[in-house]
Amino acid sequence: MTAIGYTLSSEEHHPSALVDYAQRAEAAGFDFLSISDHFHPWVGEQGEAPFVWSTLGGVATATEDIDVGVGVSAPIQRFHPAIYAQAAATVAAMFESRAFYAGVGTGENLNEHVLGDRWPEHAVRMEMLEEAIGVIRKLWSGREVSHHGDHYTVENARLFTLPEEPPPICVSAYGERAATAAADFSDGFWSVGPQEAIEVWEDNGGEGPRFCQLQACVAETEDEAVETAYRYWPNSGLPGELSAELATPALFEQATQMVSKDDIAEGSIITDPDPQAHIDSIETAIDAGYDHVYTMQIGDDQGALLELYEEEVLPSFS
């Protein structure tokens, strides 16, 4: 059975608001939540970027049964894998018997450059991610760990606060090479939008939960939705690897000058207010092989999507 989720967008909302939206999503009947991890928003208009692990502490205490995942963190530069291991273990312990999913990836320069480290090419970042996951798993064993690898050093480290079961580590991968590599060291797959890479991941032995985020803007009219999405999420129209390589919100704002409202209207964001458009998009993701599909509402009016899904969309998947 497919789990249907709701996105807590750290780039757009104050942490206290995110906790409130988590409560409302649980009351609406969503199966799980995913929260983004950013040091910066993509563009300044989005306006927020709270520390995800603090926000998750609030979500853990404000909700009761809903499962949660981080989609996704990059435990390779901004977070040393030992620090990521402690943060994720603490949060997973706070969710107690609920499922907590650790989504990880190779990150974006936008967030990871802030400590002044060199931004490596993608192949190197994948090597770093594989080594980081190995370190994290060792620490989640509860044993004392020393590690002297190609990218990371850990000495006499032991985590004392751990969940009953380690969270599944779901790796984000978009290209064929990344998906092939991720199949060897992941416990699941994470994606924005249905990606063909999931087939590569599965063909190479990838197993576990498979997450897919959809992007939407629910408004009274499609024109209003396009206007809102263009204002708050023009970065969705950027091509290729720009999203991984640009370093600041100001650079994203410059790059998105080549994105038009027509690009938004014709792109992947669901702007049709008809609930069937949302149902169809979720079914497309399910048909592509995903068993966890979650939707992000762009803009201030989160209630519009929460109400639409509670009344019209979620009943189709119950």
CSV table of all heavy atoms in Angstrom, one decimal, residues 15-41:
chain,number,residue,atom,x,y,z
A,15,PRO,N,10.0,27.9,11.7
A,15,PRO,CA,9.9,26.6,12.4
A,15,PRO,C,8.6,26.3,13.2
A,15,PRO,O,8.1,25.2,13.2
A,15,PRO,CB,11.2,26.5,13.2
A,15,PRO,CG,11.7,28.0,13.3
A,15,PRO,CD,11.2,28.6,12.1
A,16,SER,N,8.2,27.4,13.9
A,16,SER,CA,6.9,27.2,14.6
A,16,SER,C,5.7,26.9,13.7
A,16,SER,O,4.8,26.1,14.0
A,16,SER,CB,6.6,28.4,15.5
A,16,SER,OG,7.7,28.6,16.4
A,17,ALA,N,5.7,27.6,12.5
A,17,ALA,CA,4.7,27.3,11.5
A,17,ALA,C,4.8,25.9,11.0
A,17,ALA,O,3.8,25.2,10.8
A,17,ALA,CB,4.8,28.3,10.4
A,18,LEU,N,6.0,25.4,10.8
A,18,LEU,CA,6.2,24.0,10.3
A,18,LEU,C,5.6,23.0,11.3
A,18,LEU,O,5.0,22.0,10.9
A,18,LEU,CB,7.7,23.8,10.1
A,18,LEU,CG,8.3,24.5,8.9
A,18,LEU,CD1,9.8,24.3,8.9
A,18,LEU,CD2,7.7,24.1,7.6
A,19,VAL,N,5.8,23.3,12.6
A,19,VAL,CA,5.3,22.4,13.6
A,19,VAL,C,3.8,22.4,13.6
A,19,VAL,O,3.1,21.3,13.6
A,19,VAL,CB,5.8,22.8,15.0
A,19,VAL,CG1,5.1,22.0,16.1
A,19,VAL,CG2,7.3,22.6,15.1
A,20,ASP,N,3.2,23.6,13.4
A,20,ASP,CA,1.7,23.7,13.2
A,20,ASP,C,1.2,22.9,12.0
A,20,ASP,O,0.2,22.2,12.1
A,20,ASP,CB,1.3,25.1,13.2
A,20,ASP,CG,-0.2,25.3,13.0
A,20,ASP,OD1,-0.9,24.9,13.8
A,20,ASP,OD2,-0.6,25.9,11.9
A,21,TYR,N,1.9,23.1,10.9
A,21,TYR,CA,1.5,22.4,9.7
A,21,TYR,C,1.6,20.8,9.8
A,21,TYR,O,0.8,20.1,9.3
A,21,TYR,CB,2.3,22.8,8.5
A,21,TYR,CG,2.2,24.3,8.1
A,21,TYR,CD1,3.3,25.0,7.6
A,21,TYR,CD2,1.0,24.9,8.3
A,21,TYR,CE1,3.1,26.4,7.3
A,21,TYR,CE2,0.8,26.3,8.0
A,21,TYR,CZ,1.9,27.0,7.5
A,21,TYR,OH,1.8,28.3,7.2
A,22,ALA,N,2.6,20.4,10.6
A,22,ALA,CA,2.7,19.0,10.9
A,22,ALA,C,1.5,18.4,11.6
A,22,ALA,O,1.0,17.4,11.3
A,22,ALA,CB,4.0,18.7,11.7
A,23,GLN,N,1.1,19.2,12.6
A,23,GLN,CA,-0.1,18.8,13.4
A,23,GLN,C,-1.3,18.8,12.4
A,23,GLN,O,-2.2,17.8,12.5
A,23,GLN,CB,-0.4,19.8,14.5
A,23,GLN,CG,0.6,19.7,15.7
A,23,GLN,CD,0.2,20.7,16.8
A,23,GLN,OE1,0.1,21.9,16.5
A,23,GLN,NE2,0.1,20.2,18.0
A,24,ARG,N,-1.5,19.8,11.6
A,24,ARG,CA,-2.6,19.9,10.7
A,24,ARG,C,-2.6,18.7,9.7
A,24,ARG,O,-3.6,18.2,9.3
A,24,ARG,CB,-2.7,21.2,10.0
A,24,ARG,CG,-3.0,22.4,11.0
A,24,ARG,CD,-2.7,23.7,10.4
A,24,ARG,NE,-3.6,24.0,9.3
A,24,ARG,CZ,-3.6,25.2,8.6
A,24,ARG,NH1,-2.8,26.1,8.9
A,24,ARG,NH2,-4.5,25.3,7.6
A,25,ALA,N,-1.4,18.4,9.2
A,25,ALA,CA,-1.3,17.3,8.2
A,25,ALA,C,-1.7,16.0,8.9
A,25,ALA,O,-2.3,15.1,8.2
A,25,ALA,CB,0.1,17.2,7.7
A,26,GLU,N,-1.3,15.8,10.1
A,26,GLU,CA,-1.6,14.5,10.8
A,26,GLU,C,-3.1,14.5,11.0
A,26,GLU,O,-3.8,13.4,10.7
A,26,GLU,CB,-0.9,14.4,12.1
A,26,GLU,CG,-1.3,13.1,12.9
A,26,GLU,CD,-0.4,13.0,14.2
A,26,GLU,OE1,-0.4,14.0,14.9
A,26,GLU,OE2,0.1,11.9,14.4
A,27,ALA,N,-3.8,15.6,11.3
A,27,ALA,CA,-5.2,15.6,11.5
A,27,ALA,C,-5.9,15.4,10.2
A,27,ALA,O,-7.1,14.8,10.2
A,27,ALA,CB,-5.6,16.9,12.1
A,28,ALA,N,-5.3,15.8,9.1
A,28,ALA,CA,-6.0,15.7,7.8
A,28,ALA,C,-5.9,14.3,7.3
A,28,ALA,O,-6.7,13.9,6.3
A,28,ALA,CB,-5.3,16.6,6.8
A,29,GLY,N,-5.1,13.4,7.8
A,29,GLY,CA,-5.0,12.0,7.5
A,29,GLY,C,-3.8,11.6,6.6
A,29,GLY,O,-3.8,10.5,6.1
A,30,PHE,N,-2.8,12.5,6.5
A,30,PHE,CA,-1.6,12.1,5.8
A,30,PHE,C,-0.9,11.0,6.5
A,30,PHE,O,-0.9,10.9,7.8
A,30,PHE,CB,-0.7,13.3,5.6
A,30,PHE,CG,-1.1,14.3,4.6
A,30,PHE,CD1,-1.9,15.3,4.9
A,30,PHE,CD2,-0.7,14.1,3.2
A,30,PHE,CE1,-2.3,16.2,3.9
A,30,PHE,CE2,-1.0,15.0,2.3
A,30,PHE,CZ,-1.9,16.1,2.6
A,31,ASP,N,-0.2,10.1,5.8
A,31,ASP,CA,0.5,9.0,6.4
A,31,ASP,C,1.9,9.4,6.9
A,31,ASP,O,2.4,8.7,7.9
A,31,ASP,CB,0.7,7.9,5.3
A,31,ASP,CG,-0.6,7.3,4.8
A,31,ASP,OD1,-1.5,7.0,5.7
A,31,ASP,OD2,-0.8,7.2,3.6
A,32,PHE,N,2.5,10.3,6.3
A,32,PHE,CA,3.9,10.7,6.7
A,32,PHE,C,4.2,12.1,6.3
A,32,PHE,O,3.5,12.8,5.5
A,32,PHE,CB,5.0,9.8,6.1
A,32,PHE,CG,5.2,9.9,4.7
A,32,PHE,CD1,6.3,10.7,4.2
A,32,PHE,CD2,4.4,9.3,3.7
A,32,PHE,CE1,6.6,10.9,2.9
A,32,PHE,CE2,4.7,9.5,2.3
A,32,PHE,CZ,5.8,10.3,1.9
A,33,LEU,N,5.2,12.7,6.9
A,33,LEU,CA,5.8,14.0,6.6
A,33,LEU,C,7.2,13.9,6.1
A,33,LEU,O,7.9,13.0,6.6
A,33,LEU,CB,5.8,14.9,7.9
A,33,LEU,CG,4.5,15.0,8.7
A,33,LEU,CD1,4.7,15.6,10.1
A,33,LEU,CD2,3.5,16.0,7.9
A,34,SER,N,7.5,14.8,5.2
A,34,SER,CA,8.9,14.9,4.9
A,34,SER,C,9.3,16.4,5.1
A,34,SER,O,8.5,17.3,4.8
A,34,SER,CB,9.2,14.6,3.4
A,34,SER,OG,10.5,14.8,3.0
A,35,ILE,N,10.5,16.6,5.6
A,35,ILE,CA,11.0,18.0,5.8
A,35,ILE,C,12.3,18.2,5.1
A,35,ILE,O,13.2,17.3,5.1
A,35,ILE,CB,11.1,18.3,7.3
A,35,ILE,CG1,11.4,19.8,7.6
A,35,ILE,CG2,12.1,17.4,8.0
A,35,ILE,CD1,11.2,20.2,9.0
A,36,SER,N,12.4,19.4,4.5
A,36,SER,CA,13.7,19.7,3.8
A,36,SER,C,14.7,20.3,4.7
A,36,SER,O,14.4,20.8,5.8
A,36,SER,CB,13.4,20.7,2.6
A,36,SER,OG,12.7,21.8,3.1
A,37,ASP,N,16.0,20.1,4.3
A,37,ASP,CA,17.1,20.5,5.1
A,37,ASP,C,17.9,21.5,4.3
A,37,ASP,O,18.6,21.1,3.3
A,37,ASP,CB,18.0,19.3,5.6
A,37,ASP,CG,19.3,19.8,6.2
A,37,ASP,OD1,19.3,20.9,6.7
A,37,ASP,OD2,20.2,19.0,6.2
A,38,HIS,N,17.8,22.8,4.7
A,38,HIS,CA,18.6,23.8,3.9
A,38,HIS,C,19.2,24.8,4.9
A,38,HIS,O,18.7,25.1,5.9
A,38,HIS,CB,17.6,24.6,3.0
A,38,HIS,CG,17.5,24.1,1.6
A,38,HIS,ND1,17.8,24.8,0.5
A,38,HIS,CD2,17.0,22.9,1.2
A,38,HIS,CE1,17.6,24.0,-0.6
A,38,HIS,NE2,17.1,22.8,-0.1
A,39,PHE,N,20.4,25.3,4.5
A,39,PHE,CA,21.1,26.4,5.2
A,39,PHE,C,20.6,27.7,4.6
A,39,PHE,O,20.4,28.7,5.4
A,39,PHE,CB,22.6,26.3,5.1
A,39,PHE,CG,23.3,27.3,6.1
A,39,PHE,CD1,23.6,26.8,7.3
A,39,PHE,CD2,23.6,28.6,5.7
A,39,PHE,CE1,24.3,27.7,8.2
A,39,PHE,CE2,24.2,29.4,6.6
A,39,PHE,CZ,24.5,29.0,7.9
A,40,HIS,N,20.3,27.8,3.3
A,40,HIS,CA,19.7,28.9,2.6
A,40,HIS,C,18.5,28.5,1.9
A,40,HIS,O,18.3,27.4,1.5
A,40,HIS,CB,20.7,29.4,1.6
A,40,HIS,CG,22.0,30.0,2.1
A,40,HIS,ND1,23.2,29.6,1.6
A,40,HIS,CD2,22.2,30.9,3.1
A,40,HIS,CE1,24.2,30.3,2.3
A,40,HIS,NE2,23.6,31.1,3.2
A,41,PRO,N,17.5,29.4,1.7
A,41,PRO,CA,16.5,29.2,0.8
A,41,PRO,C,17.0,29.2,-0.6
A,41,PRO,O,18.2,29.7,-0.8
A,41,PRO,CB,15.5,30.3,1.0
A,41,PRO,CG,16.3,31.4,1.5
A,41,PRO,CD,17.4,30.8,2.3
